[in-house]
Amino acid sequence: MPTPKRPRRTAERILEVTLDLFNAFGEPNVSTTLISAELKISPGNLYYHYPAKDELVNALFGRYEAELSELLAAADNVRNVEDAWLFFHMLFELIWKHRFLYRDLNDLLFKNRKLETHFQALLAAKEQAMRQLLSGLHLGGALKMELREAAPTANAMVVVVSYWLSYEYVRDPRHALEPDRAGAALMRGAFHALSLLLPYLEPASKDHLYQLAGQYQSQQSHP
């Protein structure tokens, strides 16, 4: 007889629902009253676990920070365009999962000192990961780049990764961050970040990058 599933802890359920609401409506537009109503629990029960809205934001950011740190460590293993494509797609998937952070980034940083300091560290970690990725592609023979070109290229890739969803939002404010738009948005982001390497990629690797992007775009057009 299968063991019955244990009910999820209230604190975990609160974070899951809060993440969904923040992603759907933006953190500034979601109150703790709305969160407790969505969960069908009393505001007092919510405050017992998270006494302030900032604590919800910080808890969700902590999860994102841990997942991102684990993923960025994989940049050191990239040796070819296919590895890089997978890495960037996973990176954009993670950002999409926590897209409220990027949707309302300036507002959150202004209000939350912890996010202000930790996001600066994350930017540095992203840039280091991009440099490792470039080095790995060079070692794998996919990329030819002078050492002096690596730092500005890595920085440009971080800018794309960090602000791609803002660009998508400006292009189509009413629909860009809806779940059914995720696949196409992530593909465009991954390709745009990697397109910064086109001047440096070996011909076969350049062709393979276009092929990967084309295959993914075709899958999105014909589910």
Side-chain angles (χ1 to χ4, degrees):
M1 181 175 179
T3 304
K5 292 182 180 179
R6 295 178 62 186
R8 288 175 298 169
R9 294 173 58 245
T10 301
E12 182 182 344
R13 287 181 55 239
I14 290 171
L15 288 183
E16 290 176 359
V17 170
T18 300
L19 180 60
D20 288 342
L21 291 172
F22 282 177
N23 282 339
F25 303 110
E27 181 273 339
N29 303 314
V30 176
S31 65
T32 53
T33 301
L34 175 60
I35 295 168
S36 58
E38 186 73 14
L39 283 157
K40 296 181 173 59
I41 62 175
S42 68
N45 196 355
L46 177 64
Y47 296 147
Y48 173 79
H49 294 282
Y50 300 99
K53 188 178 175 184
D54 271 357
E55 294 198 23
L56 286 164
V57 173
N58 290 342
L60 290 171
F61 177 76
R63 289 186 170 192
Y64 168 67
E65 191 175 28
E67 291 182 64
L68 181 63
S69 296
E70 183 177 351
L71 176 57
L72 291 181
D76 202 32
N77 300 320
V78 171
R79 292 294 181 272
N80 54 56
V81 164
E82 194 144 356
D83 291 343
W85 178 264
L86 177 61
F87 173 81
F88 273 102
H89 194 74
M90 292 175 68
L91 181 55
F92 275 104
E93 280 185 337
L94 182 58
I95 290 172
W96 179 270
K97 178 181 173 182
H98 302 85
R99 57 193 177 276
F100 83 93
L101 290 168
Y102 290 85
R103 171 178 179 162
D104 305 304
L105 183 56
N106 289 353
D107 185 67
L108 286 168
L109 295 183
F110 178 77
K111 296 187 301 184
N112 190 309
R113 177 62 179 166
K114 178 180 179 179
L115 261 63
E116 179 185 345
T117 56
H118 282 237
F119 248 101
Q120 292 172 359
L122 283 188
L123 284 178
K126 286 179 186 176
E127 187 163 347
Q128 177 61 26
M130 296 304 120
R131 293 190 188 196
Q132 291 173 331
L133 181 141
L134 295 177
S135 178
L137 288 172
H138 180 75
L139 288 172
L143 187 76
K144 282 191 176 180
M145 175 181 285
E146 295 181 19
L147 182 62
R148 64 181 179 176
E149 297 169 321
T153 303
N155 184 258
M157 295 173 88
V158 171
V159 172
V160 171
V161 167
S162 300
Y163 292 99
W164 182 257
L165 288 185
S166 295
Y167 172 73
E168 289 282 337
Y169 182 77
V170 171
R171 290 177 70 238
D172 188 4
R174 295 183 181 275
H175 307 105
L177 301 186
E178 293 299 319
D180 63 343
R181 301 295 180 95
L186 300 184
M187 184 278 295
R188 286 192 293 267
F191 179 72
H192 195 79
L194 285 171
S195 71
L196 295 169
L197 305 183
L198 288 174
Y200 311 104
L201 288 174
E202 292 295 316
S205 294
K206 184 184 297 187
D207 290 342
H208 192 40
L209 175 58
Y210 279 117
Q211 183 183 16
L212 288 168
Q215 286 177 348
Y216 195 89
Q217 191 169 21
S218 176
Q219 291 170 9
Q220 291 298 311
S221 301
H222 303 89

